Amino acid sequence: MFSVCRVLLAAGALAAAAQPPALRVCADPNNMPFSNERGEGFENRIADLVARDLGRRLSYFWLPQRRGFIRNTLNANRCDVVMAVPSAFEAARPTLPYYRSTYVFVSRRDQGPRIRSFDDPRLTTLRIGIQLTGDDYDNPPAAQALAVRHITQNIHGYTVYGDYSASDPQRGVMDAVADGAVDVAVVWGPLAGFFARRARAPLTLTPVEPASDGPSRPFRFDISMGVRRGDDALRERLDRVIADRRAEIRRILKSFGVPMV
Amino acid sequence: MAVRSLLGVTLALYAAGAIRLWRHAGIGRGVRPAEAAAFGGGWLAVAIALGSPLDEWSETWLAAHMVQHELLMVVAAPLIAVSGSLAVFLWALPATARRRLASAIRRRPASAAWAALTAPGVAWLLHALALWTWHLPKLYDYAASHEGVHVLQHASFFGTAACFWWGIARGRYGRVGYGAAVVYIFATAFHSGLLGALLTFSPRVWFLSYAAPHAWGPTPLEDQQLAGLLMWVPAGLLLTAGGLVFLGAWIRESDRRPAMKYLAIALVIIAGASMACSGNHASAAGPAPTGHPPGAPPGMRLVADVSTGEWRLPAGDYGNLRYSTLDAINTANVAHLQVMTTFSTGVPHGHEGQPLVFNRTMYVVTPFPNNLIAVDLTKPGGAIRWIYQPHPDPRSVGIACCDVVNRGATYADGKIIYSLLDANVVAVDAETGREAWRTKVGDIGKGETFTAAPIAVKDKVIVGNSGAEMGVRGYVAALDVRSGKELWRAFNTGPDADVRIGPKFHAFYAKDQGKDLGVSSWPPDQWKLGGSTVWGWISYDPETNLFFYGTGNPGVWNPDLRPGDNKWSCSIIARDADTGEAKWAYQVTPHDSWDYDEIMENLLVDMDYGGRRRKLLVHPGRTGFVYVLDRETGELLSAETFEPVNWASGYDLKTGQPNEDPSKETHFGKVTEGICPSSTGAKDVIPSAFSPRTGLVYIPSHNTCMDYEAIDANYIAGTPYLGADVKMYVGPGGYQGELVAWDVAHNRKAWTVKETNFPVYSGVLATGGDVVFYGTMDGWFKALDARTGTELWKFHVASGIVANPVTYLGPDGKQYVAVYAGIGGWMGAVAFPDISADDPYAALGVVGAMKDIKKYTAPGSTVYVFGL
């Protein structure tokens, strides 16, 4: 009897010891549609997929994604992977891109103007909503494109920080279009796609053209996962997951309405 | 109540006795009208001392308590002693009782005892003993808190004084020995004057029962000084007057001995002169001078008390001078300074700010989680009295993202008051460590954090917010010091009503005049995300009741998106401390495109400047200029550079405008090279100090320039963009930082001490010992000669210093210097909070420095106390 117990215990202990280490992910606990604490974002879903594929259990370190995020997460060794960084990112080592999206013009389907490019003369008179990150005067490309054209008098800014004490802190700019506070907004694709489906009025999304407004104002971005610089082993494994599971990943993104180009 | 009844009974008895006596002997006989008047005067003095509101005031104010005692001893006692009132009281009694009592008094035991008691020598000694014994701190405090003992104290003051005066004026030894009487009176004046002088000049509060600061009026130390002066000067004068009366009588008596007459006159002159001189000395060289400080050049005047042994405000004083008069540590002996105590705050993150020290306790606010530690300075080794843990919202760490520092607390109304990172403000009872109130002022959900130190002004606490880069709209708010309730809030952008610009506002320059500039200097509605936060220092001028502060950069908007001056970002604003109404404003950098926050300290001092006495506000700016303004009007008197600067060549003093170099403006997508200073500025929030003795402002400064180009991919809250890649590097001269000694009157550097390795990122302390203290990022705490800049002493502490040193007197009466050692930890390179430091390898051309910082220091959390 005792010997059976001991063997079982030993086996259990061995099994536990042999467990692979968790896949530690750093993510924003309140940033739909990307991620939240309840695992409802598409980056959460993709992280589930990756962990399953690697045969590891998933664990999270939560931190709002602000200035200093990589320094305080990946580089502080609180996690091993961040689910999304621009593929040209230098602060972390990006994997291969797993999707490519674009900033879109957002307007009301019934009455809104259909804008395709920043050269559209209507932009000088329309009320325009843009996202603001404000990080040392840097802002998403819409801000720059308007500034360069001296379109400044009719702009309404919506910080990406929003009201962090509420859920969906980034939906403000989309609600502004639906409610008629602005005529058109320029929003990063995944945000626009997700909140358009939940908007109070039907909205149209139009990818910004051309893909880049001058060399320093691209509107399309490749998105990769990010690991610590030097963590080539994990990066290679993630690259393989991305290649092998391309179709599944696309399906997840499509289900969230992410415009892919 | 009992006092009033007793007074009433006494008066009634006297009246009854006087009426009966005069009916018996005739009016004016038995007791003369003059004597009755004397009794009346004495009775009135007692009534005022014990039965009027003075008694109530004496519970709070030592000076009032002193007036009580003086009334009893120097007014009531002599008057009643000469009034011969005993006889009158006897006549209040029925005849048989009167006769029996009178004979008892005249009989041997009673009369002998009375004679002995009132022998001038004995009475003088008893009175002196009573005076000095009751002023021993422990006894005085005991009497103040125990009513019975308090009555005993007053009775013995009055009683011994009355015996003394009676003995001199009416006793067996009186009238005969006028000379002796004069000597005794002057001796009394001398020793009580001595006691008064000790009280006046003592740098620390003697009586715990009068040690708690008040919500208004004098500080306890000032109260004690006043009390001492009252004992010394007016009482001394009264006694001298009494002495002169006897002296006059003595002179008349000794007419037959002219030599004695001339000796007596000489005595009078000497006595008068010494009274006058000591009176002058008392008022001119008091230890806590507003007005002219000792050792300072003529024409120098402080607007508010500076620290003289305690540290109750974040900057030590309202004028933000960070100066202490203490001189026990001085240029002659600072080389022997050594570590007395160290203790850990337990929080290994960036330690900015400074402790408060008073009432034998040191109060330390830690970085997040913003605990308040009270350290008992009477015990060796940093013994903790209590720790208050407010448990601020932990999400504030992530939302604040960069800085979890706290720049310190302020003290008022018995409470330590400071801000929490999650935009709440708390007040903690300084004795017990219990929370008195907590007020939510800002909204952490909208990215608002609080890192600045509040300032207590009269019955209010003034706070400012942080978070401009999150789109927060900047403001200052006033809370009631007792309840914490928010009284008003004055914004720094938006319409005049929000900014509290009203009929009393007058900006000096045309560029700052106009209606609703906080709206019209922006494209429509942009002022709502207009930044202009207040995360630096606030100073206060008690004479004009104005407070002064600077505002941060214009928030989330790229410069090209916000054409216009963008008021009131990067401005210095003066506001009424009661209502928050703006009095004047001066925008230092209109349409900022370099991140030149101007939240730096504003030092207030009056001095001879440009040929006449002026009320100055000195602001060492982020921009690399030292701004000197007239703080009454906001006129810019001078703007000279203290570090290499090329974004502007200077300021037009007539218009207040900077003469900018357009080639140094930043535009997204445009490469701009060699902008000096960089975004981190020639100076950041770490505060300067000023010595009124040298007239120098000691500025901790940086020497960095930057190249600006946009090529870096970045990602915030899931939103990608190309951001500016900013390279920062050492400026001309090759040194990273300097401690600059700036001669205010002459608008130029007096001397500097260069630091090669790192920018100077600590606050500065100036002292009456002519020593200046500051720290370096690689952990050296240094003392310099305030006049020459010679390094006199240094000590390597456990971590880099980004905090502000303070100095104080310990309970043992010795001078100590304290500073935090704790460079920014994992939550941020505290040194450069404004660099987009997501990528530690890019941008930071001071990469040479910041990468190396790990070789020189590591995070720490130690409080150091140094002494001789």
Side-chain angles (χ1 to χ4, degrees):
Chain A
M1 251 315 263
F2 278 146
S3 47
V4 171
C5 271
R6 257 189 235 141
V7 166
L8 282 173
L9 270 172
L14 272 172
Q19 274 271 5
L23 178 69
R24 303 181 304 162
V25 173
C26 289
D28 192 321
N30 179 21
N31 196 19
M32 289 300 283
F34 304 97
S35 61
N36 71 12
E37 271 176 315
R38 290 184 293 277
E40 296 167 334
F42 65 79
E43 288 178 10
N44 296 118
R45 299 278 174 79
I46 295 172
D48 287 335
L49 181 158
V50 169
R52 244 180 302 128
D53 210 67
L54 292 178
R56 288 156 75 153
R57 127 189 102 78
L58 195 58
S59 88
Y60 277 96
F61 178 79
W62 301 108
L63 191 72
Q65 214 236 330
R66 305 271 186 275
R67 189 168 73 188
F69 184 73
I70 298 293
R71 177 173 20 100
N72 298 320
T73 55
L74 272 187
N75 293 350
N77 203 16
R78 285 180 162 79
C79 54
D80 304 307
V81 61
V82 164
M83 292 314 293
V85 296
S87 304
F89 204 47
E90 288 178 7
R93 186 68 208 272
T95 64
L96 294 172
Y98 63 93
Y99 75 97
R100 180 174 163 84
S101 186
T102 175
Y103 280 85
V104 296
F105 286 104
V106 181
S107 52
R108 285 174 61 143
R109 185 173 305 162
D110 49 359
Q111 48 182 240
R114 194 83 187 265
I115 309 282
R116 280 201 167 76
S117 113
F118 279 92
D119 292 323
D120 191 318
R122 288 177 288 174
L123 284 177
T124 53
T125 51
L126 293 172
R127 291 167 305 161
I128 309 168
I130 57 169
Q131 291 179 280
L132 293 174
T133 53
D135 179 32
D136 282 341
Y137 296 170
D138 292 335
N139 274 307
Q144 315 302 348
L146 291 167
V148 130
R149 290 166 174 78
H150 306 294
I151 300 172
T152 59
Q153 297 303 307
N154 43 328
I155 300 184
H156 299 262
Y158 297 85
T159 66
V160 299
Y161 314 108
D163 183 354
Y164 204 71
S165 58
S167 57
D168 305 334
Q170 293 215 53
R171 65 177 296 156
V173 63
M174 297 295 289
D175 287 343
V177 182
D179 297 340
V182 297
D183 301 312
V184 62
V186 185
V187 183
W188 173 235
L191 273 166
F194 181 76
F195 288 117
R197 292 178 177 185
R198 289 153 180 78
R200 291 189 266 271
L203 303 175
T204 311
L205 310 184
T206 316
V208 174
E209 282 163 23
S212 193
D213 188 42
S216 51
R217 289 186 292 277
F219 290 101
R220 317 258 160 106
F221 285 85
D222 289 306
I223 304 294
S224 309
M225 300 174 207
V227 300
R228 257 186 307 279
R229 294 160 78 124
D231 193 355
D232 292 322
L234 183 57
R235 183 186 53 78
E236 279 165 21
R237 304 201 52 202
L238 292 173
D239 280 346
R240 243 175 293 139
V241 174
I242 289 170
D244 293 345
R245 301 268 175 246
R246 191 168 293 279
E248 255 179 273
I249 291 174
R250 277 190 83 84
R251 230 177 299 137
I252 292 174
L253 294 167
K254 277 196 97 152
S255 73
F256 275 78
V258 174
M260 284 180 283
V261 296
Chain B
M1 271 302 99
V3 169
R4 298 231 174 94
S5 340
L6 198 61
L7 281 167
V9 165
T10 316
L11 191 62
L13 279 176
Y14 186 89
I19 289 169
R20 207 180 275 172
L21 177 54
W22 280 340
R23 229 189 264 150
H24 183 91
I27 296 199
R29 309 280 297 279
V31 57
R32 295 201 287 280
E35 287 174 326
F39 178 82
W43 181 91
L44 196 61
V46 177
I48 292 173
L50 301 178
S52 76
L54 185 65
D55 191 53
E56 202 187 295
W57 298 338
S58 74
E59 282 174 31
T60 320
W61 303 102
L62 185 65
H65 200 172
M66 190 60 73
V67 171
Q68 274 188 319
H69 292 172
E70 296 310 316
L71 280 171
L72 288 175
M73 290 187 286
V74 183
V75 181
L79 284 175
I80 289 177
V82 304
S83 68
S85 49
L86 185 58
V88 181
F89 280 116
L90 282 176
W91 275 88
L93 299 168
T96 20
R98 189 193 327 141
R99 271 189 283 258
R100 234 181 266 157
L101 201 51
S103 56
I105 287 173
R106 277 194 282 266
R107 257 204 294 273
R108 277 250 86 192
S111 63
W114 182 246
L117 209 59
T118 57
V122 175
W124 177 87
L125 190 63
L126 284 175
H127 180 61
L129 271 174
L131 189 67
W132 283 82
T133 314
W134 281 114
H135 279 89
L136 288 171
K138 285 217 167 64
L139 260 179
Y140 199 96
D141 282 329
Y142 193 69
S145 45
H146 295 80
E147 193 51 38
V149 180
H150 203 179
V151 169
L152 187 64
Q153 183 193 41
H154 285 170
S156 65
F157 280 152
F158 176 80
T160 56
C163 287
F164 171 69
W165 289 107
W166 197 90
I168 285 180
R170 297 177 74 90
R172 202 194 304 180
Y173 299 98
R175 258 180 264 229
V176 173
Y178 279 137
V182 169
V183 170
Y184 282 123
I185 291 173
F186 276 115
T188 304
F190 174 75
H191 80 68
S192 60
L194 182 64
L195 183 58
L198 283 174
L199 275 170
T200 308
F201 287 117
S202 176
R204 69 173 185 282
V205 170
W206 284 18
F207 309 121
L208 277 179
S209 37
Y210 290 95
H214 313 283
W216 61 273
T219 64
L221 196 66
E222 287 167 339
D223 182 28
Q224 180 172 288
Q225 284 155 13
L226 182 60
L229 277 177
L230 284 168
M231 180 185 274
W232 187 7
V233 178
L237 283 174
L238 278 172
L239 284 167
T240 308
L244 290 175
V245 167
F246 282 93
L247 191 60
W250 190 38
I251 289 174
R252 264 182 273 118
E253 198 193 55
S254 52
D255 236 357
R256 40 205 155 103
R257 283 188 286 169
M260 293 306 292
K261 183 159 50 163
Y262 294 122
L263 181 64
I265 291 168
L267 203 70
V268 172
I269 291 169
I270 291 167
S274 63
M275 282 274 110
C277 289
S278 50
N280 264 342
H281 187 64
S283 61
T290 27
H292 187 79
M300 178 81 62
R301 197 179 156 275
L302 306 181
V303 306
D305 288 351
V306 290
S307 167
T308 60
E310 298 186 321
W311 203 273
R312 291 163 181 256
L313 291 167
D317 61 282
Y318 279 134
N320 277 22
L321 303 184
R322 293 186 182 263
Y323 172 76
S324 165
T325 55
L326 294 179
D327 59 7
I329 297 175
N330 51 56
T331 53
N333 59 25
V334 70
H336 304 295
L337 205 62
Q338 46 183 324
V339 179
M340 292 294 171
T341 291
T342 63
F343 56 91
S344 172
T345 64
V347 180
H349 300 328
H351 283 63
E352 294 190 9
Q354 62 287 305
L356 294 183
V357 182
F358 60 92
N359 224 8
R360 304 162 223 251
T361 309
M362 177 183 287
Y363 297 92
V364 173
V365 177
T366 71
F368 184 92
N370 303 137
N371 297 333
L372 176 65
I373 306 174
V375 177
D376 187 347
L377 295 176
T378 63
K379 301 204 177 70
I384 292 181
R385 283 178 57 190
W386 44 257
I387 301 181
Y388 161 74
Q389 296 182 297
H391 303 293
D393 189 336
R395 293 176 307 161
S396 56
V397 170
I399 290 173
C401 110
C402 307
D403 251 344
V404 295
V405 298
N406 186 290
R407 300 194 178 93
T410 191
Y411 176 65
D413 198 40
K415 299 185 259 285
I416 309 282
I417 305 172
Y418 65 99
S419 301
L420 306 181
L421 190 64
D422 65 7
N424 278 263
V425 179
V426 292
V428 179
D429 184 296
E431 266 307 301
T432 62
R434 273 194 282 274
E435 183 178 297
W437 49 257
R438 178 190 297 225
T439 303
K440 177 172 182 297
V441 183
D443 188 350
I444 186 74
K446 302 226 169 66
E448 240 179 304
T449 51
F450 278 26
T451 54
I455 186 172
V457 173
K458 301 195 289 186
D459 58 345
K460 299 181 177 58
V461 176
I462 301 176
V463 296
N465 64 349
S466 311
E469 74 273 6
M470 312 281 283
V472 165
R473 190 175 160 214
Y475 58 78
V476 283
L479 311 180
D480 177 75
V481 75
R482 268 172 287 267
S483 64
K485 180 159 162 287
E486 184 174 322
L487 300 170
W488 46 255
R489 184 177 291 213
F491 288 91
N492 298 320
T493 64
D496 286 349
D498 287 359
V499 184
R500 291 193 172 243
I501 286 177
K504 300 208 185 90
F505 178 81
H506 181 74
F508 189 85
Y509 291 105
K511 70 177 180 73
D512 298 326
Q513 292 164 5
K515 192 162 156 24
D516 289 334
L517 293 178
V519 170
S520 62
S521 62
W522 302 79
D525 278 2
Q526 282 188 5
W527 54 267
K528 294 179 184 165
L529 297 173
S532 315
T533 47
V534 185
W535 51 281
W537 308 99
I538 303 176
S539 22
Y540 172 66
D541 181 346
E543 286 164 5
T544 53
N545 200 33
L546 295 176
F547 69 92
F548 307 88
Y549 65 95
T551 61
N553 66 46
V556 281
W557 300 97
N558 299 68
D560 291 331
L561 274 180
R562 49 171 169 85
D565 279 352
N566 313 135
K567 286 172 159 56
W568 292 87
S569 63
C570 306
S571 304
I572 300 172
I573 302 183
R575 291 186 182 279
D576 180 282
D578 291 325
T579 61
E581 279 177 77
K583 187 88 199 313
W584 58 257
Y586 170 67
Q587 190 178 33
V588 175
T589 312
H591 189 74
D592 168 51
S593 61
W594 303 275
D595 205 4
Y596 288 159
D597 287 54
E598 280 304 340
I599 45 76
M600 284 76 221
E601 62 283 8
N602 298 292
L603 295 93
L604 310 180
V605 65
D606 296 350
M607 57 193 289
D608 289 334
Y609 186 84
R612 59 182 173 102
R613 171 82 65 90
R614 291 201 87 145
K615 295 182 174 299
L616 300 180
L617 177 151
V618 181
H619 176 96
R622 178 86 151 244
T623 54
F625 288 90
V626 177
Y627 298 95
V628 181
L629 280 76
D630 181 319
R631 68 171 186 275
E632 293 190 298
T633 61
E635 179 188 354
L636 181 66
L637 303 173
S638 152
E640 299 297 329
T641 61
F642 65 96
E643 286 300 336
V645 166
N646 60 22
W647 68 275
S649 60
Y651 276 73
D652 182 333
L653 298 179
K654 287 201 183 49
T655 62
Q657 292 272 17
N659 300 320
E660 292 181 19
D661 180 350
S663 73
K664 297 301 181 189
E665 274 177 26
T666 63
H667 301 278
F668 191 80
K670 172 170 160 261
V671 174
T672 313
E673 285 177 343
I675 305 170
C676 304
S678 65
S679 295
T680 55
K683 180 182 181 303
D684 205 339
V685 66
I686 72 268
S688 320
F690 175 79
S691 166
R693 291 166 58 88
T694 63
L696 301 175
V697 175
Y698 303 94
I699 308 174
S701 63
H702 312 161
N703 177 26
T704 53
C705 299
M706 69 177 177
D707 293 341
Y708 180 96
E709 40 183 15
I711 48 172
D712 225 11
N714 214 335
Y715 198 68
I716 297 272
T719 314
Y721 59 97
L722 281 194
D725 185 14
V726 178
K727 282 191 181 50
M728 296 192 196
Y729 44 87
V730 175
Y735 58 92
Q736 294 268 18
E738 272 190 297
L739 186 73
V740 174
W742 183 267
D743 182 340
V744 179
H746 298 102
N747 298 318
R748 59 167 188 239
K749 291 186 191 179
W751 48 259
T752 78
V753 170
K754 289 187 166 45
E755 295 284 347
T756 353
N757 291 332
F758 300 106
V760 179
Y761 209 88
S762 84
V764 188
L765 169 71
T767 71
D770 288 338
V771 180
V772 159
F773 290 93
Y774 74 102
T776 67
M777 287 177 74
D778 54 346
W780 286 101
F781 190 47
K782 298 191 182 181
L784 307 181
D785 182 311
R787 294 183 192 276
T788 63
T790 312
E791 184 182 292
L792 299 174
W793 169 91
K794 68 179 181 193
F795 183 84
H796 195 263
V797 296
S799 177
I801 300 176
V802 295
N804 315 320
V806 302
T807 188
Y808 60 93
L809 285 178
D812 56 0
K814 299 200 185 133
Q815 183 183 1
Y816 296 96
V817 178
V819 71
Y820 301 151
I823 198 144
W826 70 265
M827 265 326 248
V830 175
F832 295 98
D834 298 299
I835 293 184
S836 171
D838 264 300
D839 183 0
Y841 293 85
L844 307 180
V846 250
V847 153
M850 292 319 291
K851 244 198 322 201
D852 284 349
I853 193 113
K854 290 186 174 60
K855 288 188 204 146
Y856 290 88
T857 188
S861 62
T862 316
V863 182
Y864 279 80
V865 178
F866 296 91
L868 289 170

